[in-house]
Amino acid sequence: MSGKVMGTRVVRKEDARLTTGRGRYTEDVQLPGMLYAAMLRSPHAHAVIEHVDVSEAERMPGVVKVYTGRDLKGRMGPIPTAWIPPNSDLKMVEHPALAHQHVRYVGDGVAMVVASSRSEAEDALEAIRVDYRPLPAVHSPLAALEKDAPQIHEDAPDNVALHWTVGTPVEEAFRKAEVVVKRRFRQQRLIPNPMEPRSAVAQYNASTGEMTLWATTQNPHIHRVLVSGILGIPEHKLRIVATDVGGGFGAKIACYADEILAAYAARDLERPVKWTESRSEHFLTTTHGRDHVDEVELAGTRDGRVTALRVKSYANLGAYLSTAAPGVPTILFGLIVNGAYDIPYASTEVIGVFTNTTPVDAYRGAGRPEATYLIERIMDAYAQEIHMDPVQVRQKNLIKKDQFPYTNPFGLTYDSGDYHQALDRALAKLDYPALRREQEALRRQNKYIGIGFSTYVEMCGLGPSEVAGAVGFQGGLWESALVRVHPGGKVTVFTGASPHGQGEETTFAQIVADRLGLPMEDIEVVHGDTDRIAMGWGTYGSRTTAVGGGALARATDRVIAKAKTIAAHMLEVPEGAVEVEQGRFHPEGQTDRSVTIQEVTLQAYLAWNLPPEVEPGLEASAFYDPTNFTYPFGAHVAVVSVDPETGEVRLLRYIAVDDCGPVINPMIVEGQIHGGIAQGVGQALYEGAIYDEDGQLVTGSFLDYAMPKARFFPRLELDHTVTPSPHNPLGVKGVGETGTIASTPAVVNAVIDALAPFGITDLEMPLTPPRVWEAITQSKGGRVS
Amino acid sequence: MTERLSIRMMVNGQTVAGQVEPRTLLAYYLRDDLGLTGTHIGCDTSQCGACTVLMDGAPVKSCTVLAVQADQCHITTVEGLASDRVQRAFQEAHGLQCGFCTPGALMLSKWIVEQRPSSSETEIRDLLDGLICRCTGYENIVKAVQRAVRMAEEDAPETAVGREVSS
Amino acid sequence: MIPRPFRYHRAETLDEALKALQDHPDTKVLSGGHSLLPMMKLRVASPAGLVDIGRIVELQSVSAQSDSIAIGAATTYARVLEDSRLSELMPILHQAVSVIADPQVRYRGTVGGSAVHADPASDLSAVFLACGVSFVVKGPRGERIIPVDEWYLAPLVSALAPDEILERIVFPRPLPGRQTYLKFPHPASGYPLAGVAVLLDVDDTMRVREVRIAVSGAGVLPFRALSAEACLKGEKVSSERIQEAVSRGLDDGEYTDDVQYSAAYRRHLAGVMIERALIRALDE
């Protein structure tokens, strides 16, 4: 029998295949007779399609068929939106899989070639002639709202996609405020860039009408619902498979035109069809993230108490409404702009805007990084305004331990926490007073370091479903688990969550191993296949362990309950008098007489002598719906140096103290935090999508769009506190997004702190060398052009 | 225009021969023709390194090598790394999450471990510049490389992949 | 992303490669392929044919004479780094090559490929300029020796004719002993936003006997900062003198301007890097 594995650094079960090249990602699927699809994409940000001529392309070698938007019009449903926030006046504009009249962003699909090979498909794209009549384009959300801006959708006057307000009245608090601090923050647009490009392989069996679609998705069951609706394939004949998915970060939540088109072609041609995007296509067509302009006002007292917060946000949603897009800048952002602080009054107004850009949807953190950035930045601005240390301002305003459960001004109930303790830990690790002294000394030598804080909280672990319904999410947010103990005592776990790098094949096995007293190798976790798993809602919003793990804990406990009944019968003692310990069932207080879980399981399947009313077999499922979100929190500190001559920022130290509740596998939790921090630092210092005046994406490859590299980072310093959430069986809070949410403002605060001697109080992200250099130069009255 | 050329190479210790269009990239030859789908393609501008394989012992980006250029060469892919200490180090140090860049990370790391074992942490980070990983923040990749170096020091040195070209 | 179809010919000798170029119009020379293939994959370049010179042994030799060092055009960066004699004789070449791209690229990319591609952001362009190399090219009209000052004609355009092949790059000897290559890389591409090569000789009194300064990355073309050199030559080194030299030398370049990195920033950065490279060379 194994010892306890919960809380230990178990090596991942996934890695045996992933480190030997034996993973099976969508693009790895090869089927006999398979064809390849390639998409022709609009080179214009905004244009009318006057004419499409595919005749030459159809004659190209290897070409099987060419589809245009006109060919498909009326033959499939539009690409849907699945989040309709109430009272947001959301404009549900039509999004055809292939454009038939208008193209609205560079990358919008215009035609699809299906050919015998990848190269022939690409060759044929070049033979398609399209006459476009270019229209004026607009790419920034503020410009799109101007009076004479180009109109992008007939059904969305003034390019307003949604208008939503929430919160408590703040006017009086602002009238009475001793101090008001105002800032306008730009949340630049980011490109998610999971390393696996999107891909789809579709296979249709005409004799049975069954379709199998391998797809790079974070939520195969949601895909089944959507694809079934779009293509009219009944859900019991549609199988979505997403076993190995190479990262998602939110960009693989959405239902995309490309996978629908591949499936359409496979059915139409009765041949398997593969489509895989290139990285260049990814930059243009896979959903982007962030892209807000946030106007923020904070009211407070001279002695450091925040009294009110007012936020007005302009959120760029791109050319169409992606699957979850409307919920990201509203529900996932507007409800938590007060962050970890006890602010009595707060309000958020959000205007969602259409532009001629790639659709924007969830990107790691989705809404919460934007909220955390603005509150953490304005807390620093407030501290500066009242000449108080940013740590002290935080300590004064952080929600106190005894205030939990804490209801924020938007009606969210924060579950549990000790925010001050996390900050204290970070300060101790940092040796804050010494570092401030060092900073002073260095400034005298014309050297600049800065210290930045971020004491964050986020809401995640999405459900509950009732809330999902209340906020307009067109689905449930519970999760399913089925635990099947096989006759020999091995276990298969089926989860409706769909991990794609987060390691739940291991953490879920750990949960089951300890409860059943079985070794890890006897437990297999199955995910990402709608034929093997009845239903589920997928992996995003740091929900997998909180909700999927909750379901699993419940299902496992049901298995144990049944096993106990059988064991009691076998041991000839009353049911209530059986204890279970490390896979052994014994009468209370009598450890010398016992039966093993394997013996019980065998009896369950043989069913020769079961207690009355007990059915044969040993498996249980659970459909677990949590009662609240979870609220991980922590304190992150960045220490940076700024080279005043080149403007280069270097990260010198990074300290992260996180509380995600009880830790199932510290190794995996740390890995999530590392990666999250890297992405957040990426936003602060390196990443940013740039469109030119014509709506062309200037940063369309890894040559221009700076992805974080190994050499950008020091070794990260991690610590944690443990405050269980009372809202799920495991007490876990989720850790997939915390690093990204926390780190961006920590780094920017550090840079602004470093630049204080120059009188610089804010800079737009990313804080690239030229941006920092320009600010320093201008502060000295110098010229930058 | 669909001229095809004969090529022959040693892949993971086995001789393979085939006919390819000159424009066939080594990465696609390995994946589509040989079914070695462990080698991944993560970008189209020769930046990300997911497609890294060893060519005559040297790490190269197989998306930027024509299959015909690899004619007569020794190629080692992630499938050919069976039970290598670098794989173990990546597992133990949690040097991977989604696993997509991992084949490239492993091949590059194998080269670092064998050819640059005395690299400092900073130098390892510089040598990893030919790799983009979106999941790990590189922290545990660096630790995995260091772990593999330590493992190599403790064990007898492994035979390096031969650099010479057979004909 | 797959290139358009093309003919492929692997040449065993330079003459065979030259003949292939002559026989087939619109044929490009493939060496390591790390400049050409990425362009062909994006279908920005689509030659009808490639002649592969990557295995021509005569193009991979390194030979040192008393007055020069010749490096074969198809010598990979990795080969340069492994050549301890080269790093001893020309530390600047070793320094520059060791910061080109990443290890994988250094195993395929070649010294000649960099020269012929004539990317103004190539690290080696600054080294070639500072060292005053000559390019020995072979073609149907025989051999030409092109001095580096006449090599970089326009961005991505070198003086090499379409029917010619670069055979070797000749570095004169001796070169000034204090050698530094310093680069500020673009965070995405790794190309220099400003790369500075400095060759310097000072006497015992810190008077400058000889100085060469060249800049890659920042400019529309790589350039020698001749005004900076003139300002330093024969003078005693001081921080004021260096700053004066930098400010004059910056006028020798015409700077690239793009959305992320303005011409003003690149110019400024070139100045910072020149100053730092000079100081590092002096510290050696």
Side-chain angles (χ1 to χ4, degrees):
Chain A
M1 249 345 109
S2 62
K4 290 276 177 192
V5 288
M6 286 279 272
T8 67
R9 298 174 175 270
V10 182
V11 166
R12 296 201 320 171
K13 291 170 78 75
E14 295 83 341
D15 294 356
R17 66 174 188 280
L18 298 182
T19 57
T20 51
R22 291 178 180 85
R24 202 179 195 219
Y25 299 86
T26 302
E27 160 63 37
D28 300 340
V29 175
Q30 314 234 27
L31 301 171
M34 192 166 73
L35 302 173
Y36 294 83
M39 306 299 167
L40 183 71
R41 303 191 179 279
S42 170
H44 298 283
H46 198 192
V48 173
I49 300 173
E50 304 249 327
H51 184 66
V52 183
D53 179 0
V54 299
S55 54
E56 191 190 334
E58 284 172 336
R59 290 193 299 270
M60 295 281 286
V63 171
V64 177
K65 196 157 178 176
V66 182
Y67 300 87
T68 66
R70 292 224 165 112
D71 298 336
L72 300 182
K73 202 177 171 190
R75 290 168 192 263
M76 62 166 74
I79 304 303
T81 300
W83 201 334
I84 308 167
N87 306 315
S88 68
D89 194 21
L90 183 68
K91 298 292 189 283
M92 299 282 280
V93 298
E94 199 202 348
H95 181 186
L98 285 178
H100 40 77
Q101 197 175 0
H102 279 92
V103 285
R104 294 186 172 90
Y105 70 99
V106 175
D108 211 349
V110 173
M112 168 172 62
V113 171
V114 182
S116 316
S117 69
R118 298 173 200 272
S119 45
E120 287 165 326
E122 280 188 36
D123 293 345
L125 288 184
E126 298 188 300
I128 299 174
R129 304 273 166 265
V130 185
D131 296 332
Y132 295 100
R133 179 160 52 82
L135 299 171
V138 62
H139 62 89
S140 104
L142 294 183
L145 291 173
E146 280 171 16
K147 261 207 305 286
D148 51 352
Q151 178 74 27
I152 297 167
H153 292 280
E154 266 176 40
D155 303 336
D158 305 323
N159 299 321
V160 174
L162 63 86
H163 191 174
W164 181 80
T165 53
V166 67
T168 48
V170 294
E171 288 72 21
E172 195 185 335
F174 271 94
R175 258 200 314 278
K176 291 183 179 165
E178 294 171 18
V179 182
V180 173
V181 186
K182 292 185 188 185
R183 285 283 186 280
R184 177 191 267 200
F185 297 121
R186 182 84 176 95
Q187 272 287 332
Q188 81 272 35
R189 176 179 285 242
L190 301 179
I191 297 178
N193 278 319
M195 291 320 297
E196 179 202 27
R198 283 189 298 119
S199 181
V201 175
Q203 184 176 37
Y204 184 68
N205 182 335
S207 62
T208 61
E210 288 173 328
M211 168 79 76
T212 302
L213 178 63
W214 288 263
T216 48
T217 173
Q218 301 175 216
N219 28 253
H221 290 89
I222 294 181
H223 264 53
R224 187 177 61 177
V225 173
L226 298 175
V227 176
S228 168
I230 298 165
L231 291 178
I233 299 167
E235 60 189 347
H236 64 298
K237 294 191 180 238
L238 178 60
R239 177 185 180 195
I240 312 282
V241 187
T243 314
D244 282 323
V245 176
F249 312 112
K252 291 174 184 168
I253 294 174
C255 176
Y256 289 93
D258 313 289
E259 58 215 29
I260 304 293
L261 292 165
Y264 181 91
R267 182 175 61 179
D268 185 44
L269 302 171
E270 296 185 18
R271 297 268 299 272
V273 173
K274 177 187 280 188
W275 167 84
T276 301
E277 72 180 353
S278 66
R279 182 58 56 182
S280 300
E281 279 181 295
H282 178 91
F283 271 93
L284 291 178
T285 66
T286 299
T287 54
H288 293 175
R290 318 273 192 264
D291 205 344
H292 284 203
V293 176
D294 295 322
E295 292 172 352
V296 189
E297 293 169 90
L298 177 146
T301 63
R302 282 263 153 234
D303 66 352
R305 281 291 306 178
V306 182
T307 53
L309 184 74
R310 178 159 48 203
V311 176
K312 183 172 185 181
S313 290
Y314 300 90
N316 191 346
L317 298 178
Y320 301 100
L321 295 174
S322 177
T323 310
V328 175
T330 52
I331 310 301
L332 295 179
F333 164 79
L335 299 178
I336 196 161
V337 292
N338 63 297
Y341 307 107
D342 181 14
I343 302 175
Y345 303 98
S347 71
T348 310
E349 178 182 3
V350 180
I351 297 164
V353 187
F354 287 116
T355 60
N356 295 111
T357 60
T358 301
V360 176
D361 205 322
Y363 171 57
R364 201 171 194 173
R368 290 144 292 158
E370 296 90 319
T372 306
Y373 185 78
L374 70 84
I375 186 67
E376 289 303 312
R377 285 287 300 121
I378 201 126
M379 288 301 278
D380 263 34
Y382 174 50
Q384 196 176 33
E385 180 72 26
I386 60 172
H387 307 292
M388 192 177 274
D389 189 283
V391 170
Q392 207 189 340
V393 169
R394 284 176 168 78
Q395 284 166 333
K396 276 191 168 230
N397 290 280
L398 282 173
I399 298 160
K400 293 181 189 65
K401 192 178 166 186
D402 58 13
Q403 286 179 280
F404 291 97
Y406 169 85
T407 303
N408 86 347
F410 303 98
L412 293 178
T413 305
Y414 293 11
D415 53 0
S416 59
D418 187 344
Y419 299 174
H420 289 85
Q421 188 195 12
L423 178 55
D424 290 345
R425 283 242 189 155
L427 290 169
K429 231 178 156 66
L430 184 67
D431 196 353
Y432 189 42
L435 204 55
R436 283 288 179 209
R437 285 194 297 275
E438 189 187 339
Q439 180 180 42
E440 266 315 301
L442 285 170
R443 279 179 185 171
R444 286 193 290 275
Q445 301 166 43
N446 203 25
K447 288 179 178 160
Y448 301 90
I449 65 167
I451 309 158
F453 294 87
S454 170
T455 42
Y456 75 98
V457 65
E458 63 134 334
M459 57 164 182
C460 64
L462 313 177
S465 302
E466 187 187 350
V467 173
V471 301
F473 182 72
Q474 304 296 298
L477 283 173
W478 46 267
E479 201 45 85
S480 77
L482 168 63
V483 176
R484 177 171 297 152
V485 188
H486 300 286
K490 312 284 191 208
V491 178
T492 308
V493 172
F494 300 86
T495 173
S498 196
H500 41 279
Q502 297 88 343
E504 273 90 1
E505 288 177 36
T506 306
T507 43
F508 278 15
Q510 286 177 266
I511 293 170
V512 175
D514 272 11
R515 279 177 148 74
L516 293 183
L518 290 171
M520 288 287 287
E521 56 269 25
D522 285 0
I523 301 156
E524 201 63 37
V525 177
V526 173
H527 59 84
D529 184 340
T530 60
D531 261 17
R532 300 188 72 188
I533 299 125
M535 186 55 196
W537 294 99
T539 286
Y540 42 82
S542 305
R543 68 188 300 274
T544 301
T545 306
V547 190
L552 180 56
R554 280 204 177 171
T556 311
D557 290 346
R558 283 175 189 163
V559 165
I560 292 168
K562 181 170 179 183
K564 264 185 166 177
T565 307
I566 298 170
H569 189 70
M570 289 166 72
L571 294 163
E572 298 177 323
V573 295
E575 192 188 329
V578 172
E579 284 179 338
V580 58
E581 213 174 318
Q582 298 225 344
R584 282 183 174 274
F585 297 80
H586 56 81
E588 238 171 353
Q590 289 181 43
T591 49
D592 56 329
R593 204 158 69 86
S594 66
V595 288
T596 65
I597 176 92
Q598 288 88 351
E599 289 164 335
V600 173
T601 307
L602 185 62
Q603 286 310 314
Y605 280 97
L606 291 174
W608 291 342
N609 182 18
L610 290 176
E613 306 297 316
V614 171
E615 293 178 357
L618 190 58
E619 66 174 58
S621 62
F623 292 78
Y624 169 69
D625 205 344
T627 54
N628 191 2
F629 297 124
T630 55
Y631 294 84
F633 63 90
H636 284 215
V637 190
V639 183
V640 303
S641 68
V642 177
D643 181 334
E645 290 186 322
T646 62
E648 186 184 25
V649 176
R650 293 288 307 179
L651 198 53
L652 300 177
R653 286 182 73 187
Y654 196 94
I655 293 167
V657 179
D658 294 281
D659 192 324
C660 60
V663 171
I664 296 169
N665 187 328
M667 183 186 83
I668 288 177
V669 164
E670 287 163 12
Q672 289 296 305
I673 294 167
H674 296 153
I677 290 169
Q679 273 171 310
V681 172
Q683 172 167 22
L685 299 181
Y686 306 107
E687 300 180 41
I690 300 171
Y691 284 94
D692 70 11
E693 282 311 305
D694 299 325
Q696 298 288 337
L697 183 65
V698 178
T699 51
S701 82
F702 289 150
L703 288 165
D704 319 288
Y705 185 90
M707 295 281 281
K709 300 274 186 73
R711 65 184 159 83
F712 297 172
F713 297 96
R715 192 162 274 214
L716 307 174
E717 302 167 60
L718 268 50
D719 197 358
H720 67 279
T721 60
V722 178
T723 315
S725 172
H727 296 304
N728 65 64
L730 298 167
V732 296
K733 293 194 164 198
V735 72
E737 296 160 298
T738 57
T740 307
I741 289 167
S743 58
T744 307
V747 173
V748 174
N749 282 340
V751 176
I752 300 301
D753 180 56
L755 296 174
F758 299 99
I760 293 164
T761 57
D762 194 27
L763 280 178
E764 248 183 44
M765 295 186 290
L767 305 179
T768 59
R771 227 165 244 178
V772 172
W773 170 74
E774 282 168 18
I776 292 173
T777 306
Q778 281 164 343
S779 79
K780 296 171 173 167
R783 290 185 44 184
V784 296
S785 59
Chain B
M1 277 303 264
T2 51
E3 164 205 29
R4 293 174 87 84
L5 301 175
S6 295
I7 56 170
R8 191 182 183 81
M9 57 185 87
M10 188 78 95
V11 179
N12 299 332
Q14 292 193 316
T15 305
V16 297
Q19 295 240 318
V20 293
E21 271 192 276
R23 61 169 159 169
T24 304
L25 300 167
L26 178 59
Y28 283 120
Y29 178 67
L30 294 169
R31 289 180 55 80
D32 292 350
D33 292 23
L34 304 184
L36 295 171
T37 54
T39 298
H40 298 156
I41 298 170
C43 79
D44 46 20
T45 51
S46 319
Q47 301 282 300
C48 80
C51 65
T52 300
V53 301
L54 298 181
M55 185 164 159
D56 295 332
V60 302
K61 294 174 180 171
S62 64
C63 75
T64 312
V65 175
L66 299 172
V68 290
Q69 284 178 292
D71 182 31
Q72 306 297 326
C73 291
H74 284 253
I75 302 293
T76 308
T77 70
V78 66
E79 289 92 343
L81 272 189
S83 68
D84 190 275
R85 60 172 70 95
V86 180
Q87 285 164 324
R88 219 179 90 205
F90 267 71
Q91 295 179 10
E92 291 170 358
H94 190 31
L96 67 148
Q97 291 181 24
C98 82
F100 195 80
C101 78
T102 306
L106 287 167
M107 303 318 285
L108 183 57
S109 299
K110 184 178 171 64
W111 171 80
I112 296 173
V113 170
E114 286 172 2
Q115 305 291 326
R116 301 287 186 277
S118 51
S119 303
S120 66
E121 174 166 346
T122 308
E123 286 163 345
I124 290 172
R125 288 179 183 272
D126 284 342
L127 292 172
L128 289 172
D129 217 35
L131 178 78
I132 301 178
C133 169
R134 195 54 149 168
C135 293
T136 63
Y138 306 98
E139 174 96 4
N140 285 346
I141 294 181
V142 174
K143 286 181 185 162
V145 172
Q146 291 174 321
R147 191 182 190 97
V149 169
R150 275 200 309 277
M151 284 159 66
E153 282 165 357
E154 285 156 16
D155 295 349
E158 241 184 3
T159 324
V161 179
R163 287 189 58 86
E164 60 288 330
V165 180
S166 75
S167 47
Chain C
M1 294 301 219
I2 297 165
R4 295 195 185 105
F6 55 83
R7 278 185 324 273
Y8 172 86
H9 177 79
R10 186 194 302 143
E12 305 296 335
T13 64
L14 181 54
D15 288 339
E16 188 188 330
L18 284 167
K19 186 170 182 313
L21 275 188
Q22 269 200 297
D23 292 351
H24 301 286
D26 192 20
T27 293
K28 288 237 178 212
V29 174
L30 180 71
S31 181
H34 272 47
S35 301
L36 185 55
L37 291 178
M39 289 167 67
M40 290 175 65
K41 282 164 66 180
L42 298 172
R43 301 192 173 204
V44 178
S46 300
L50 292 182
V51 52
D52 185 352
I53 61 165
R55 295 203 191 166
I56 300 176
V57 180
E58 57 187 293
L59 292 180
Q60 297 170 31
S61 64
V62 175
S63 65
Q65 314 290 323
S66 60
D67 60 346
S68 67
I69 297 167
I71 301 179
T75 307
T76 62
Y77 301 132
R79 191 69 69 83
V80 170
L81 294 178
E82 283 160 11
D83 192 325
S84 55
R85 190 180 41 153
L86 264 185
S87 36
E88 207 175 291
L89 294 174
M90 284 192 294
I92 195 169
L93 183 67
H94 188 91
Q95 288 176 42
V97 169
S98 68
V99 294
I100 292 174
D102 52 57
Q104 300 102 303
V105 170
R106 294 197 284 269
Y107 272 108
R108 296 296 298 165
T110 63
V111 174
S114 166
V116 171
H117 189 52
D119 189 327
S122 126
D123 288 289
L124 284 184
S125 61
V127 175
F128 292 152
L129 280 165
C131 294
V133 301
S134 308
F135 298 96
V136 179
V137 308
K138 292 276 172 65
R141 297 165 298 284
E143 182 177 288
R144 288 203 292 156
I145 298 174
I146 304 171
V148 67
D149 298 334
E150 295 165 22
W151 183 259
Y152 294 102
L153 301 182
L156 305 179
V157 182
S158 76
L160 189 78
D163 56 0
E164 289 177 323
I165 293 176
L166 175 63
E167 184 190 54
R168 61 187 193 274
I169 299 165
V170 180
F171 291 74
R173 281 181 75 186
L175 289 166
R178 294 168 187 266
Q179 306 188 352
T180 289
Y181 181 74
L182 204 57
K183 130 189 222 187
F184 192 92
H186 187 294
S189 69
Y191 287 111
L193 284 165
V196 173
V198 164
L199 299 179
L200 180 68
D201 242 349
V202 291
D203 65 17
D204 295 343
T205 68
M206 296 301 274
R207 194 172 294 280
V208 176
R209 273 205 215 105
E210 163 93 298
V211 62
R212 314 231 200 112
I213 303 167
V215 180
S216 65
V220 176
L221 287 179
F223 63 93
R224 274 278 285 277
L226 292 168
S227 318
E229 295 175 9
C231 180
L232 288 167
K233 203 161 180 184
E235 301 291 331
K236 265 198 165 171
V237 179
S238 66
S239 58
E240 294 76 25
R241 178 55 63 177
I242 288 177
Q243 277 175 15
E244 174 66 24
V246 167
S247 80
R248 287 197 205 173
L250 288 179
D251 287 338
D252 295 329
E254 184 191 331
Y255 297 89
T256 308
D257 197 37
D258 69 42
V259 191
Q260 298 186 76
Y261 299 93
S262 67
Y265 179 71
R266 286 171 191 261
R267 180 189 161 98
H268 165 79
L269 189 66
V272 173
M273 300 313 281
I274 292 173
E275 184 179 342
R276 290 181 182 181
L278 281 167
I279 291 168
R280 202 214 267 178
L282 283 163
D283 283 349
E284 267 171 13

